[in-house]
Amino acid sequence: MTEGGLVRLTIDTETDTYEQAIAAIQAAYGLRPVPPADWPEARAVEPRPDPQDLSSDDIRDGWSDRTLFQMIASLMPGARAVLRRITEVGGTASYEDVQHYFASHPTAPIPLARIGGTLTSVKAVQRCIGPDGAGPLLQRDERARRYCIDDTLVAGLTRAFAMADARPDLLRGGPAGPAT
């Protein structure tokens, strides 16, 4: 049994026999059957990474790797994809580059005129999740028509997105792979 009474069971249908599968289910529910003599040893389960594994040390203005993960986990999927893209290109991207990247994106297209609206959840989530008194995580320079993220926060966001890739089940909008 795992935490919360849930049972996680993996049966390899190519190598496990029917009897082994039934015995595994019975064992998972505590019925203690006698396992077949030819039952192979169970593989070790890799521990899943957890957001608590991320650092809570202040990176800048109260942001930590953990709060950055909480921020991206709470974003709408479109806003998360845009923030990831800006992070991937080093923290600075022109409005046009971001618009054109997502206009023709194969799995997460965002129409040209909708990028700004897609990003409204960034401010809203930061107000709820972000540290008090911190400047905007994603800054917009209207004159230069550029999105900017502070360099020190780009590194933290990179670590937070790596955790998001490992644990998509923790993200708002359900499991989804990285936007590429």
Side-chain angles (χ1 to χ4, degrees), residues 82-108:
V82 173
L83 189 62
R84 178 188 290 266
R85 177 64 183 163
I86 296 167
T87 300
E88 288 172 345
V89 297
T92 303
S94 73
Y95 289 5
E96 291 77 21
D97 288 345
V98 172
Q99 288 173 327
H100 290 294
Y101 179 82
F102 284 100
S104 60
H105 196 278
T107 59

Side-chain angles (χ1 to χ4, degrees), residues 22 25 30 33-34 37 39 56 104 108-109 116 121 134-139 145 147-149 151 159 173-174 177 180:
I22 295 299
I25 292 168
V34 176
W39 185 290
S56 61
S104 60
S121 72
L137 175 66
L138 178 63
Q139 300 171 28
R145 297 187 46 80
Y147 297 108
C148 300
I149 302 170
D151 289 341
R159 292 185 292 273
T180 53

Side-chain angles (χ1 to χ4, degrees), residues 66-154:
R66 195 175 300 166
T67 55
L68 288 168
F69 175 79
Q70 291 169 341
M71 171 85 180
I72 64 171
S74 299
L75 289 173
M76 295 296 290
R80 186 181 315 115
V82 173
L83 189 62
R84 178 188 290 266
R85 177 64 183 163
I86 296 167
T87 300
E88 288 172 345
V89 297
T92 303
S94 73
Y95 289 5
E96 291 77 21
D97 288 345
V98 172
Q99 288 173 327
H100 290 294
Y101 179 82
F102 284 100
S104 60
H105 196 278
T107 59
I110 302 172
L112 292 174
R114 306 266 329 217
I115 292 289
T118 299
L119 292 174
T120 57
S121 72
V122 174
K123 280 186 180 180
V125 169
Q126 182 174 341
R127 280 192 302 270
C128 296
I129 305 278
D132 292 333
L137 175 66
L138 178 63
Q139 300 171 28
R140 295 194 289 192
D141 182 343
E142 297 296 334
R143 285 187 71 209
R145 297 187 46 80
R146 297 187 79 69
Y147 297 108
C148 300
I149 302 170
D150 185 89
D151 289 341
T152 55
L153 296 178
V154 169

Side-chain angles (χ1 to χ4, degrees), residues 4-93:
L6 299 175
V7 174
R8 181 172 298 233
L9 181 65
T10 303
I11 298 172
D12 185 340
T13 58
E14 291 182 10
T15 60
D16 294 340
T17 66
Y18 173 78
E19 291 79 17
Q20 290 171 326
I22 295 299
I25 292 168
Q26 290 173 335
Y29 286 95
L31 299 175
R32 309 281 183 230
V34 176
D38 62 342
W39 185 290
E41 284 296 316
R43 290 178 250 146
V45 175
E46 295 278 328
R48 292 180 73 189
D50 188 88
Q52 299 303 318
D53 298 336
L54 293 170
S55 172
S56 61
D57 295 339
D58 189 315
I59 298 172
R60 179 184 172 100
D61 295 335
W63 289 105
S64 68
D65 288 354
R66 195 175 300 166
T67 55
L68 288 168
F69 175 79
Q70 291 169 341
M71 171 85 180
I72 64 171
S74 299
L75 289 173
M76 295 296 290
R80 186 181 315 115
V82 173
L83 189 62
R84 178 188 290 266
R85 177 64 183 163
I86 296 167
T87 300
E88 288 172 345
V89 297
T92 303

